[in-house]
Amino acid sequence: MQTTANAPRPGGSVWTDPKARAWLFQILAVIAVVALGWFLFDNTQTNLEKRGITSGFSFLNNSAGFGIAQHLIDYDESNSYGRVFVVGLLNTLLVSVIGIVLATLLGFLLGVARLSPNWLISKLATVYIEIFRNIPPLLQIFFWYFAVMLSLPGPRQSMGVGETFFLNSRGLYMPAPSPGDNFGLFAGAVIVAIIGVMLLSRWSKARFEATGRLFPVSLGAIPLLIGLPGLAILLGGNPLQWSMPALTGFNFTGGWVLIPELMALTLALTIYTAAFIAENVRSGIQAVNHGQTEAARSLGLPAGKTLRLVIIPQALRVIIPPLTSQYLNLAKNSSLAAGIGYPDMVSLFAGTVLNQTGQAIEVIAITMSVYLAISISISMLMNWYNKRIALIER
Amino acid sequence: MPEAIKQTSAEPMILMEGVHKWYGQFHVLKDINLSVQQGERIVLCGPSGSGKSTAIRCLNRLEEHQQGRIIIDGTELTHDLKHIEAVRREVGMVFQHFNLFPHLTVLQNCTLAPMWVRKMPKREAEEVAMHYLERVRIPEQAHKYPGQLSGGQQQRVAIARALCMKPKIMLFDEPTSALDPEMVKEVLDTMVGLAEDGMTMLCVTHEMGFARTVANRVIFLDKGEIVEENEPEAFFTNPQNERTQLFLSQIIH
Amino acid sequence: MQIHTFKPDLPPPALSVGVVGWLRANLFSSWFNTLLTLFAAYLVWLIVPPLIQWALIDADWTGTTRADCTSGGACWVFVQQRFGQFMYGFYPTELRWRVDLTLWLAVIGAAPLFIPQIPRKAFYGLVFLVVYPLVAYWLLHGGFFGLSTVSTSRWGGLMLTLVIAAVGIAGALPLGVVLALGRRSDMPAIRVICVTFIEFWRGVPLITVLFMSSVMLPLFLPEGMSFDKLMRALIGVILFQSAYIAEVVRGGLQAIPKGQYEAAAAMGLGYWRTMGLVILPQAMKLVIPGIVNTFIALFKDTSLVIIIGLFDLLNSIKQATTDPAWLGMATEGYVFAALIFWIFCFGMSRYSQHLERKLDTGHKR
C-alpha cells in the first residue's frame, strides 16, 4: 500500500530530524565564519607584504616626535607611541568623567523640572530637551568650538573675574594649587574631619533606631569639616601655594588652563547627554505608581520624606540602567574630539599615530579594544546591579 | 440617623458640612453633610462615578475640597500643611490596590511611618508591627517582600501597616474590589475583627454581607449627592428611594 | 416610594477655574512656586528677546557678499549664497534636477505606505524597496541608459546626508532582523556568533568604525578590488547600525507572547513560516517606533563622516565658514545646520511618539 511505503522510517534522513538539522546548520555557520575570517586574514597578509608593512606592536616603543596640547602625565616629543596612547586614554577619561558628572547634575535637574507642577518651569525643561537631543552632538561640538570658543577675545583682551580667572580664545585660565609647607597638617585635619563625620552619621543612625530621635548630621558635620582644617591653617599657615595666571607678553603663564577644545567638548557632551538623562529621570519617576505617593502621604509622611524614603528608591531602580547606557554613550561620543583636535585617544592614536606609522590594524584594534573593554565591564556591572536590585516577586 | 448615638457623644470624629468638589468643570461632590461619632462604622456605596471614593479621599486630603468644612477629631482640614499632617497621623487608609511599598519588606512597610513620623525607636516599632501582623494573622511573612504575597495577604499587610500608626479612624477605599473571590473573606474577617474592637470606620464597599453585619449606617451616594442614609437592615430590606432600589437590584442577584 | 431630585450642577468657584484658577494652580500655588515662576520668566526674558533680535529683527536677508551684512544681527546672506552647496555639495549645477527628481520619487513612492486606506501595503512596500534603490542609483550616479556619470566624490550636502542615512537603514534593517532571529535561536553556535557580532559593534564608537572601514577595509579585500570612499563609509554604517536594529527587533520578538509560538507550532508551521507569517509581522509592528528612534540616531551620526573627509551637510557648512570671503559666519552656518537637523529629527521623533500611542492602544494585555 502507498501509505505504508510513505510512512517515516525510524532514524529518518538528516533533513527530517530537527536535531541533526540543527547540528548541520551550526557546523555550516561556523565553517562560513571561519572561512570569511581566513579570507580576510589572507588578503590582509598579502596586502601588508606588498606594501612592506611589518605587523606587530613593536612600533609602540618608537619615539613619537610630536607635541600634545594637553597631557595629564609628563610627556614630550621624545616619548614613545605607547606613552601617547596613555596620554590619549587619560584625556578621554578626563572628558568622560567631567561630562558624566555635569550631565548627571543637569539631567536630574531638568528631569525633575519637567515634572514640576509649575507650568513655565516644566515647559522650559521640555523645550531644552526637545532642542538639544535632536541636534547631532558633533554639530554642537563644532558650534561651541568654532562659533563660541574661537571667537572669544585674544589673551590681551581676556574676560577676567578679578585677577584670578581669565577667559580668552586660548582657554580658561585659573589659579593652580600646589602643596605648601603646612600641607601635611592640613591634609591630616581634613582626613580626621571626614572620619569624624562618618562616625557621627553612624552614631546618629544608631540613635535614631534606638530612640526614634533624629540628630541632624549636618549640624555636627559642617563645623567639623570647616573647623578642623581651619584650625590647621591657623596653627601652621597656608597649606596650599597658588600659582596665579598672569599675562606675560602675548599669552598667559602660570596657573591651570582648560584648553578651548576641552571646554567645547565638555559643554557639548554635557548639554547633549543631559537632555537624554532628563528623559530617563522623568520616566523613572513617572514609573513609580501614584498610589505609592498616596499611601505614604496617608501614613502621615511629609512630602520630603515621601520622596526620599518611598519614591526615589523605587525610581532609581528604573533610572540607573538607562543612565549607565547614557554614560557609555557619553564616553563613546567623547571620541568626537577628533573633529576639533582635542587630544583624546581616538584623535591621537587612531588619527596622528596611525598616519605616522601606518600600522592601521594594530592601532585600530587597540583603540576598539579599549572601548570594548569599557563597554563590557560596564554592562557586566549593570547586569550584576540589576539582579541585586530587582524587586522580589513571586 | 440612629438617635441613640447622636445623644451619647458630643463631638463627632468626622464632620463634613456642605462639602463641594469639582474636577475642572465637573461637579463631583454636591453639598455633602456627614457626621460620624466615635466608634461608628459607616459603609458608603453607590454606582461607579458617584463620588464615594472622592468623598473619603477628601477626609485625609488626598483630594482637596473647594467649598464647605471638613473637621476630623477637632482639626479642620485647610491649606495648612500642619493640620493636614496632623489629620493624616490619626487617620489610616487602606486602598483598593494595596499600595504597599515594593522595595521594602512587610516589616519595613509597617515600621516606616511609626519610625519617621511617630519617632518610635526601631525595636518598639518592630514590636508594634509584629503585634498587628499577628492580628491580621500573617506574622510569618514579616521578612518577605510584598511581591511575594497573594493579593489577600497584601491587603492584610496594608491594614496592619495603617494600624501601626494607631489611628483613631480607618478609611477603606474598596478594599476587596481588586481581590480574587476566594481572598475576599480573609480581608473582610480582618475588618470585622477591627470593627468589634470599636474602631471608627468608613468603608467604601459593595460587600453587602459586610455592611449588614458590621455597619451602623449605610450611605448611598449617586451623582455626588447623598441620596439615602439608613441602618443596614432598613436600607437593604426597605429602601426608600427609587435610585437606591435600582442600585440594590443591580448588585444583589 | 420617594424620587430623589438631584441638585443642579453648580459652576466651580471662580478662584479654581478660568485664567485666574489656571494661573493659581500652575504658576503661583505657593511662595516657592511663585519664586520658580519668576526665575523661569527671568530666564526666558534673558534668552528669547536677544535671540529674536539677532536672528530676525537685526538680521540681513538680502545681498551677495559679506559687505551687505551691516545691521549687526545674523547674516543670512551667507546661507542664501551658499544654499546650493549646502544642499547638493559639488553635484554639477545643471544636473541637480536628478537629485530633486530622486527625492520627489521617494516622496511620491512612499506616500501610499502612510495612507491607511491603501490595501496590500506589504507587497507594495517590498516592490518599492527593490525598485526604488535601482532607480535612485541610476538617477544619482548615472553612467548608463543615457545619463552621464556623476562620481560619488562630487556628492555632498544634505543630499549626501540623506543618502547615507537611507542606505544605512535600508541595509541595516534586513541584517538586523537576521541577527535578532539568530540571537533568539535555540542553536548555541548561531547564538554565539550573533551575540558576538552585535555586542562588538555596540561596544565601539561609530568614529572608530569609520576609521576602520576607511583604512582597514582596503587591506581586507583581495587585490584589484576596491571601494570608493562613500561605499566604505556605507559599509561601516550598515554594520554598525545593524547591531542596534537587532537589539530593537529582539525587544519586539520578546514582547510576542509564547502562546503565539505555540499556536503556530500547533498548526504545523515550521520555523521560517512561524517567523515569517506569525511572529515577525507582529513584532515588526511593535518595533517601528524603536526603529524610527534608531534611524534618528543614525541620521545624527551621519555627521561623523566628516572625519573621513566626506562632504555631508555639516562638512559643507564647515568648509564654507572657512572661506576667506565669509570669515566670521560660523554662528550663522552652524545655527542653520542645527535647524535642518533639528527639523528632521524632531519631526521623526514626533512621528515615532504618535506611532507608539497608536500601537499602544492595540496591544494592551
Side-chain angles (χ1 to χ4, degrees):
Chain A
M1 287 249 305
Q2 284 272 315
T3 43
T4 39
N6 282 345
R9 273 163 297 178
S13 80
V14 174
W15 296 109
T16 52
D17 179 4
K19 246 191 193 146
R21 210 160 53 171
W23 271 108
L24 189 73
F25 208 64
Q26 293 185 67
I27 292 168
L28 283 177
V30 171
I31 290 174
V33 169
V34 170
L36 181 69
W38 175 253
F39 172 72
L40 296 180
F41 179 74
D42 188 52
N43 285 334
T44 313
Q45 286 272 318
T46 333
N47 283 323
L48 286 179
E49 244 167 62
K50 214 169 54 204
R51 297 180 197 193
I53 304 172
T54 43
S55 50
F57 293 93
S58 56
F59 73 96
L60 286 173
N61 298 320
N62 297 350
S63 165
F66 59 88
I68 300 176
Q70 175 188 300
H71 42 89
L72 300 177
I73 52 172
D74 284 335
Y75 173 84
D76 65 54
E77 296 184 6
S78 63
N79 285 128
S80 66
Y81 288 125
R83 200 166 178 89
V84 171
F85 169 74
V86 179
V87 169
L89 181 58
L90 288 177
N91 283 342
T92 293
L93 292 178
L94 177 74
V95 79
S96 306
V97 170
I98 301 177
I100 283 172
V101 171
L102 295 179
T104 309
L105 293 176
L106 187 58
F108 270 77
L109 198 70
L110 285 165
V112 172
R114 235 200 117 164
L115 291 174
S116 163
N118 187 303
W119 181 85
L120 197 56
I121 290 277
S122 104
K123 275 288 165 293
L124 272 185
T126 311
V127 167
Y128 173 98
I129 292 166
E130 290 299 351
I131 287 182
F132 288 106
R133 72 172 177 173
N134 284 319
I135 298 176
L138 185 62
L139 174 48
Q140 298 193 34
I141 293 172
F142 279 179
F143 176 81
W144 288 110
Y145 186 62
F146 292 114
V148 178
M149 292 295 162
L150 292 192
S151 57
L152 287 171
R156 309 200 74 150
Q157 285 83 38
S158 292
M159 300 185 275
V161 181
E163 285 298 301
T164 44
F165 291 88
F166 297 94
L167 182 65
N168 60 48
S169 59
R170 304 266 180 95
L172 177 66
Y173 289 81
M174 60 180 84
S178 55
D181 300 333
N182 185 34
F183 186 73
L185 183 64
F186 177 77
V190 170
I191 291 169
V192 170
I194 290 171
I195 293 174
V197 170
M198 276 156 57
L199 289 176
L200 186 71
S201 65
R202 224 180 195 182
W203 170 80
S204 126
K205 191 174 171 231
R207 193 180 86 140
F208 171 66
E209 289 186 352
T211 66
R213 274 177 301 164
L214 269 177
F215 179 80
V217 176
S218 56
L219 213 68
I222 291 170
L224 214 58
L225 281 176
I226 295 173
L228 272 183
L231 198 68
I233 293 176
L234 278 181
L235 286 177
N238 201 348
L240 296 174
Q241 283 173 340
W242 295 93
S243 138
M244 292 292 182
L247 189 66
T248 46
F250 289 102
N251 210 343
F252 278 87
T253 50
W256 270 341
V257 56
L258 291 182
I259 56 175
E261 291 82 11
L262 176 63
M263 284 200 290
L265 195 59
T266 320
L267 260 174
L269 291 181
T270 301
I271 289 173
Y272 180 71
T273 314
F276 288 89
I277 292 179
E279 280 298 271
N280 293 337
V281 170
R282 176 189 64 85
S283 57
I285 295 175
Q286 280 181 336
V288 180
N289 194 318
H290 188 59
Q292 294 287 313
T293 316
E294 291 192 336
R297 301 310 299 276
S298 77
L299 283 167
L301 286 172
K305 284 187 183 131
T306 302
L307 204 63
R308 187 155 65 89
L309 298 170
V310 176
I311 308 302
I312 291 178
Q314 293 185 56
L316 275 185
R317 283 160 212 260
V318 184
I319 293 171
I320 286 180
L323 189 64
T324 10
S325 75
Q326 288 309 329
Y327 289 170
L328 262 180
N329 282 345
L330 191 146
K332 284 194 257 170
N333 280 337
S334 74
S335 61
L336 299 178
I340 55 169
Y342 171 79
D344 84 318
M345 188 175 56
V346 170
S347 73
L348 274 185
F349 208 60
T352 318
V353 172
L354 193 151
N355 276 339
Q356 287 197 3
T357 62
Q359 304 280 355
I361 295 181
E362 294 83 351
V363 165
I364 301 243
I366 293 175
T367 316
M368 283 186 157
S369 327
V370 170
Y371 282 105
L372 273 180
I374 297 175
S375 298
I376 291 172
S377 40
I378 293 208
S379 56
M380 270 162 47
L381 199 72
M382 221 15 20
N383 287 341
W384 170 81
Y385 174 82
N386 276 337
K387 277 213 187 86
R388 214 179 67 100
I389 63 150
L391 289 179
I392 296 164
E393 291 188 11
R394 291 210 272 190
Chain B
M1 186 176 291
E3 287 300 306
I5 291 171
K6 204 172 184 182
Q7 282 160 0
T8 48
S9 107
E11 202 182 319
M13 281 300 261
I14 300 173
L15 183 68
M16 295 174 95
E17 276 182 357
V19 171
H20 287 263
K21 176 167 178 61
W22 289 264
Y23 286 133
Q25 291 291 327
F26 179 58
H27 202 165
V28 221
L29 294 182
K30 293 179 193 166
D31 191 26
I32 302 287
N33 291 289
L34 177 69
S35 159
V36 180
Q37 301 297 326
Q38 183 166 12
E40 259 201 294
R41 299 170 300 273
I42 312 290
V43 162
L44 284 163
C45 61
S48 71
S50 60
K52 52 197 192 305
S53 280
T54 309
I56 81 163
R57 286 157 63 86
C58 279
L59 295 179
N60 63 355
R61 214 174 171 87
L62 289 180
E63 305 281 355
E64 206 175 298
H65 62 283
Q66 284 129 335
Q67 246 177 53
R69 304 202 314 154
I70 298 180
I71 300 169
I72 308 288
D73 195 19
T75 311
E76 179 166 3
L77 281 171
T78 59
H79 281 285
D80 192 339
L81 269 176
K82 281 252 176 317
H83 286 189
I84 296 172
E85 273 159 23
V87 165
R88 284 174 176 166
R89 279 199 290 273
E90 306 306 326
V91 179
M93 184 157 195
V94 175
F95 299 87
Q96 181 179 1
H97 294 289
F98 330 137
N99 292 347
L100 291 176
F101 305 132
H103 61 301
L104 302 177
T105 62
V106 165
L107 190 63
Q108 286 168 334
N109 262 283
C110 293
T111 56
L112 185 78
M115 282 173 69
W116 289 95
V117 180
R118 289 244 189 259
K119 312 285 179 213
M120 211 184 269
K122 190 176 178 189
R123 185 182 296 271
E124 194 187 326
E126 285 181 351
E127 278 165 15
V128 172
M130 286 313 291
H131 168 75
Y132 285 110
L133 285 174
E134 267 160 37
R135 194 147 160 211
V136 300
R137 297 188 313 280
I138 37 174
E140 72 282 359
Q141 313 281 12
H143 295 286
K144 287 195 181 167
Y145 285 88
Q148 295 169 291
L149 306 183
S150 74
Q153 288 173 324
Q154 289 195 41
Q155 194 60 299
R156 283 186 282 151
V157 172
I159 294 173
R161 176 176 74 176
L163 291 176
C164 283
M165 285 295 284
K166 304 194 172 147
K168 292 180 178 158
I169 301 166
M170 284 287 282
L171 307 174
F172 293 85
D173 187 1
E174 307 205 23
T176 55
S177 315
L179 295 177
D180 290 335
E182 75 270 22
M183 292 169 184
V184 169
K185 188 170 177 297
E186 61 185 65
V187 171
L188 288 182
D189 285 349
T190 310
M191 289 165 66
V192 171
L194 209 56
E196 283 163 358
D197 289 358
M199 174 68 77
T200 311
M201 290 166 67
L202 230 83
C203 188
V204 172
T205 186
H206 292 159
E207 294 295 333
M208 291 306 144
F210 174 78
R212 273 170 190 256
T213 47
V214 167
N216 303 96
R217 261 191 291 160
V218 179
I219 294 172
F220 175 67
L221 262 90
D222 193 9
K223 297 186 184 167
E225 289 179 37
I226 294 181
V227 171
E228 187 164 344
E229 184 174 351
N230 215 332
E231 285 169 356
E233 255 336 287
F235 181 85
F236 288 115
T237 50
N238 185 21
Q240 300 296 305
N241 205 293
E242 48 99 37
R243 302 285 310 178
T244 320
Q245 224 170 38
L246 183 68
F247 174 71
L248 287 175
S249 72
Q250 278 163 348
I251 62 164
I252 299 171
H253 310 289
Chain C
M1 178 98 334
Q2 297 170 3
I3 292 178
H4 185 85
T5 42
F6 285 101
K7 299 181 182 96
D9 280 2
L10 298 174
L15 276 181
S16 66
V17 285
V19 179
V20 179
W22 186 87
L23 284 175
R24 260 172 59 113
N26 293 302
L27 295 176
F28 305 104
S29 60
S30 65
W31 63 267
F32 178 67
N33 217 342
T34 309
L35 213 67
L36 278 182
T37 305
L38 293 177
F39 170 72
Y42 176 68
L43 266 187
V44 171
W45 181 76
L46 217 58
I47 296 168
V48 176
L51 198 66
I52 291 174
Q53 187 83 18
W54 175 81
L56 301 174
I57 299 174
D58 281 353
D60 289 290
W61 300 89
T62 51
T64 47
T65 65
R66 198 177 158 198
D68 294 318
C69 292
T70 48
S71 49
C75 180
W76 299 123
V77 179
F78 165 64
V79 172
Q80 191 205 339
Q81 287 297 308
R82 295 305 189 87
F83 191 76
Q85 193 195 336
F86 294 168
M87 294 297 118
Y88 304 96
F90 302 113
Y91 210 91
T93 317
E94 67 281 3
L95 297 179
R96 282 178 185 169
W97 62 268
R98 281 161 54 175
V99 178
D100 297 339
L101 183 61
T102 316
L103 184 67
W104 282 116
L105 282 180
V107 171
I108 295 165
L113 293 173
F114 295 90
I115 301 170
Q117 287 82 14
I118 305 264
R120 310 213 54 178
K121 260 197 226 134
F123 176 73
Y124 175 78
L126 223 57
V127 172
F128 177 69
L129 279 182
V130 172
V131 174
Y132 179 74
L134 298 174
V135 174
Y137 179 78
W138 174 59
L139 277 172
L140 291 178
H141 189 268
F144 48 94
F145 296 141
L147 285 183
S148 56
T149 309
V150 181
S151 88
T152 56
S153 60
R154 311 198 65 171
W155 298 13
L158 181 61
M159 166 222 168
L160 184 66
T161 297
L162 291 174
V163 165
I164 297 172
V167 176
I169 196 76
L173 207 53
L175 189 54
V177 172
V178 171
L179 285 169
L181 290 178
R183 193 170 183 163
R184 298 262 298 160
S185 158
D186 298 327
M187 297 180 256
I190 305 284
R191 210 163 50 222
V192 168
I193 292 171
C194 291
V195 169
T196 314
F197 186 91
I198 293 171
E199 293 306 326
F200 174 77
W201 296 109
R202 273 162 42 92
V204 296
L206 178 58
I207 198 168
T208 59
V209 175
L210 289 173
F211 267 122
M212 182 173 121
S213 62
S214 80
V215 299
M216 274 166 81
L217 209 58
L219 293 176
F220 283 155
L221 295 173
E223 268 196 283
M225 192 174 161
S226 73
F227 292 134
D228 67 6
K229 221 193 246 173
L230 176 62
M231 197 62 208
R232 284 185 303 209
L234 285 176
I235 291 174
V237 166
I238 289 174
L239 292 176
F240 181 78
Q241 211 59 35
S242 67
Y244 287 85
I245 296 277
E247 285 302 276
V248 172
V249 174
R250 182 170 71 120
L253 290 175
Q254 278 171 341
I256 304 296
K258 222 174 125 209
Q260 294 290 317
Y261 292 90
E262 288 167 357
M267 289 167 68
L269 296 181
Y271 176 82
W272 292 108
R273 293 231 166 110
T274 304
M275 285 301 163
L277 298 174
V278 181
I279 305 301
L280 278 178
Q282 298 182 59
M284 290 314 280
K285 204 174 140 195
L286 281 181
V287 299
I288 290 174
I291 289 176
V292 176
N293 287 339
T294 316
F295 183 68
I296 295 173
L298 167 64
F299 190 77
K300 286 186 288 185
D301 278 347
T302 55
S303 58
L304 266 63
V305 296
I306 193 172
I307 304 292
I308 56 170
L310 287 174
F311 285 87
D312 73 323
L313 174 63
L314 183 57
N315 205 3
S316 302
I317 289 178
K318 182 167 181 267
Q319 289 307 315
T321 60
T322 57
D323 181 346
W326 291 101
L327 280 184
M329 294 294 142
T331 311
E332 283 84 348
Y334 291 123
V335 166
F336 176 69
L339 193 68
I340 293 193
F341 273 107
W342 186 83
I343 290 171
F344 274 93
C345 296
F346 182 73
M348 286 187 288
S349 80
R350 272 295 136 117
Y351 177 64
S352 125
Q353 283 164 16
H354 159 78
L355 279 179
E356 243 164 288
R357 269 196 299 274
K358 205 170 108 185
L359 293 174
D360 199 30
T361 50
H363 279 264
K364 279 262 151 64
R365 274 198 304 270

